């Protein structure tokens, strides 16, 4: 295989890697993507579905949002339920019209892959990166495998957008970063079902039997989740049991959950994880490669895209103005939103999951939070602005100066 020469070598064709490639192309910067898995595997991987306003705006600016606009579902509010009492949190009143869009992650990946290849971009599937070398020089190198051969990419920068189990984080020098992590004592069982959504907007529910979430993918496909034990197994959950549990946990007087054939089901553990240094020399990490949030609140994909924005800003400054100032600040800039998302995801998780016995101190605090959402405009606004995603400008300054 002939060596490949490009400006930015991108590892991973998930939301982070693909968005980065498109955005760099827009800025006249050349990149090549290598992806471990096959195209069919990546495009079939069922994951997130909640796009923040920022994410949709970025896709629109890049000319990649035709299908999101057509087939995505704009939601201007969300239902929150506690012990069967359901309220609606309207976004528009608190966010000046900013809202979320429901559109499957694998559809985003399909759209971005199609557009990248149609535009003549290089993306090698079934091409796992094996080693990243010379990150302390101006010519780092990625070695990868493809069709039984070893390939090599010579580039100016390596962008590791290779997810939580990727090579990028493992390549950072030992001791160059600090790690923070928290594993929750519960997991999510998620299903995709061939049935019209029973609610036009999402429902997050606390119930004494555990958390439940009603989401959707289209007018004929619903996406639902329930809290299960960490050591639970999918074999313990025949379809009837899942529907019964969802129906009890999401239940509220005068509302009924419609059930239908389940077309996918899986269990995902929940963890918070991040490292506090996203760069070593010419190697930069973006997305799940550097952080994981528990899924409650749907921040994972959006955070990956937000990292990419900061990385693009840095690379643009370098290629257009010869300055590394913005690149040098990449970690610091990205971490502001990463910590915000960590806090919000943890907040949503601990508010809506069953953590302790009904009636316990922990339960009472959860209940007090829910009641406060109903009382306080300020608290409702805090949740709404985090949920739809804070604008990029919100992190540029602080409202209250240090005295
Ligand atoms: P990824 O999407 O993980 O992409 C990384 C890519 O890199 C992958 O395609 C991988 O194959 C590739 N790769 C890895 N190693 C190599 C290598 N050595 N060489 C080449 N390629 C490599 N978020 C939510 O908000 N809501 C949810 O409901 C939700 N559910 C999830 C369910 C699961 C099972 C998982 C794993 C994640 C879920 N997330 C969810 C999180 C969300 O999907 C991620 O935050 C998002 O995918 C991050 O995008 P990314 O591009 O950083 O990483
Ligand atoms: C979805 C997933 C989430 O984690 C969430 O908070 C909202 C929606 C979804 O898959 O649709």
């Amino acid at each position: 295989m002939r060596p490949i020469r490009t400006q930015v070598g991108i590892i991973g064709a998930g939301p982070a890697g693909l968005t980065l490639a498109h955005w760099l192309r827009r800025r006249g910067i050349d990149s090549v993507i290598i992806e471990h898995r096959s195209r069919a595997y990546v495009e079939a991987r069922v994951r997130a579905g909640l796009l923040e306003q920022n994410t949709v705006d970025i896709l629109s600016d890049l000319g990649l949002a035709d299908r999101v606009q057509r087939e995505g579902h704009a939601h201007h509010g969300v239902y929150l339920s506690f012990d069967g009492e359901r309220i609606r949190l309207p976004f528009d009143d608190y966010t000046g019209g900013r809202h979320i869009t429901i559109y499957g992650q694998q559809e985003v990946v399909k759209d971005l892959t199609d557009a990248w290849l149609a535009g003549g971009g290089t993306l090698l599937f079934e091409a796992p990166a094996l080693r990243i070398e010379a990150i302390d020089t101006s010519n780092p190198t990625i070695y990868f495998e493809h069709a039984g051969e070893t390939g090599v990419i010579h580039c100016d920068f390596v962008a590791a957008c290779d997810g939580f189990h990727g090579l990028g984080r493992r390549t950072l020098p030992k001791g160059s970063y600090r790690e923070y992590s928290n594993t929750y004592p519960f997991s999510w069982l998620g299903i995709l079902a061939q049935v019209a959504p029973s609610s036009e907007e999402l429902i997050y529910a606390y119930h004494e039997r555990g958390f439940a979430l009603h989401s959707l993918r289209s007018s004929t496909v619903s996406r639902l989740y329930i809290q299960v034990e960490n050591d639970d197994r999918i074999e313990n959950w025949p379809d009837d049991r899942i529907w019964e549990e969802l129906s009890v946990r999401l239940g509220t007087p005068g509302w009924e959950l419609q059930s239908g054939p389940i077309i996918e089901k899986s269990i995902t553990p929940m963890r918070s994880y991040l490292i506090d240094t996203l760069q070593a020399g010419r190697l930069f990490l973006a997305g799940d490669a550097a952080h994981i949030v528990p899924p409650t609140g749907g921040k994972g994909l959006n955070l990956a895209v937000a990292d990419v924005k900061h990385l693009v800003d840095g690379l643009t400054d370098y290629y257009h103005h010869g300055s590394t100032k913005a690149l040098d600040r990449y970690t610091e800039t990205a971490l502001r939103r990463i910590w915000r998302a960590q806090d919000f995801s943890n907040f949503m998780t601990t508010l809506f999951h069953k953590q302790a016995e009904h009636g316990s101190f922990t339960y009472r605090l959860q209940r007090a939070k829910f009641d406060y959402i109903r009382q306080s405009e300020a608290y409702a606004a805090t949740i709404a602005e985090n949920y739809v995603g804070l604008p990029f400008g919100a992190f540029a300054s602080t409202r209250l100066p240090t005295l």
Side-chain angles (χ1 to χ4, degrees), residues 341-358:
Q342 288 287 0
D343 176 49
F344 183 68
S345 305
N346 177 269
F347 166 82
M348 289 290 284
T349 301
T350 51
L351 172 52
F352 288 110
H353 285 71
K354 181 172 184 184
Q355 305 172 73
E357 280 321 299
H358 215 64

Side-chain angles (χ1 to χ4, degrees), residues 385-398:
E385 73 174 7
N386 277 275
Y387 190 73
V388 304
L390 289 154
F392 285 103
F395 293 91
S397 62
T398 41

Side-chain angles (χ1 to χ4, degrees), residues 12 15-16 35-36 45 47-48 105 129 161-162 225 287-288 298 300-301:
E35 164 58 48
H36 185 174
R45 201 161 43 186
R47 286 183 168 182
Q105 175 170 329
C161 302
D162 51 357
Y225 302 91
D288 277 18
L301 180 164

Side-chain angles (χ1 to χ4, degrees), residues 13-141:
L18 288 163
T19 308
L20 177 62
H22 278 282
W23 211 333
L24 291 176
R25 176 193 272 166
R26 274 290 169 118
R27 300 279 168 96
I29 302 164
D30 186 53
S31 70
V32 163
I33 316 174
I34 52 170
E35 164 58 48
H36 185 174
R37 304 289 189 168
S38 68
R39 184 170 184 181
Y41 180 95
V42 173
E43 292 186 352
R45 201 161 43 186
V46 179
R47 286 183 168 182
L50 187 162
L51 306 187
E52 289 179 359
Q53 179 80 51
N54 288 333
T55 303
V56 174
D57 288 349
I58 289 168
L59 294 176
S60 298
D61 288 349
L62 293 173
L64 297 166
D66 284 4
R67 207 156 68 90
V68 183
Q69 308 284 15
R70 237 184 12 253
E71 297 176 22
H73 297 247
H75 287 191
H76 295 265
V78 62
Y79 294 107
L80 306 174
S81 172
F82 206 95
D83 285 341
E85 287 169 40
R86 193 184 292 175
I87 57 172
R88 179 174 184 269
L89 181 70
F91 305 143
D92 295 8
D93 301 5
Y94 302 118
T95 62
R98 291 167 65 78
H99 60 272
I100 59 155
T101 301
I102 297 297
Y103 186 72
Q105 175 170 329
Q106 77 267 44
E107 304 306 320
V108 174
V109 167
K110 272 183 216 162
D111 295 347
L112 269 57
T113 303
D114 288 348
W116 180 249
L117 295 173
T122 304
L123 162 47
L124 301 179
F125 286 100
E126 299 179 75
L130 304 172
R131 286 189 325 277
I132 306 166
E133 291 188 354
I135 57 173
D136 286 326
T137 72
S138 52
N139 292 297
T141 310

Side-chain angles (χ1 to χ4, degrees), residues 179-350:
E179 218 171 23
Y180 300 84
S181 90
N182 180 37
T183 304
Y184 296 84
F186 38 76
S187 299
W188 272 18
L189 188 163
I191 62 164
L192 262 188
Q194 211 115 45
V195 59
S198 305
S199 169
E200 71 291 358
E201 290 176 339
L202 272 55
I203 310 168
Y204 291 83
Y206 171 90
H207 189 275
E208 65 175 316
R209 282 159 71 160
F211 169 80
L213 168 60
H214 185 308
S215 183
L216 56 120
R217 286 294 176 269
S218 68
S219 56
T220 55
V221 176
S222 300
R223 175 85 167 135
L224 301 111
Y225 302 91
I226 47 172
Q227 172 184 352
V228 297
E229 301 284 326
N230 273 346
D231 58 2
D232 216 332
R233 299 164 65 84
I234 207 77
E235 300 77 57
N236 297 336
W237 288 91
D239 294 4
D240 286 352
R241 183 177 173 211
I242 297 174
W243 285 118
E244 163 67 17
E245 206 57 33
L246 281 165
S247 170
V248 170
R249 296 185 191 186
L250 292 166
T252 203
W255 179 84
E256 212 174 299
L257 178 68
Q258 301 302 320
S259 60
I262 293 179
I263 47 182
E264 204 263 356
K265 57 177 163 180
S266 61
I267 293 182
T268 311
M270 315 252 296
R271 64 161 83 82
S272 306
Y273 175 90
L274 73 118
I275 55 173
D276 66 356
T277 306
L278 277 53
Q279 174 196 3
R282 293 286 183 111
L283 169 65
F284 290 83
L285 269 55
D288 277 18
H291 42 72
I292 296 285
V293 291
T296 334
K299 290 289 158 217
L301 180 164
N302 299 289
L303 204 48
V305 172
D307 286 354
V308 164
K309 183 225 177 314
H310 300 304
L311 190 50
V312 170
D313 286 348
L315 290 167
T316 304
D317 211 27
Y318 175 82
Y319 283 108
H320 293 193
H321 307 292
S323 163
T324 63
K325 237 166 118 185
L327 270 182
D328 295 341
R329 280 202 315 267
Y330 170 66
T331 287
E332 184 195 332
T333 315
L335 274 181
R336 289 192 199 123
R337 178 181 294 272
I338 294 169
W339 276 116
R340 179 91 303 284
Q342 288 287 0
D343 176 49
F344 183 68
S345 305
N346 177 269
F347 166 82
M348 289 290 284
T349 301
T350 51

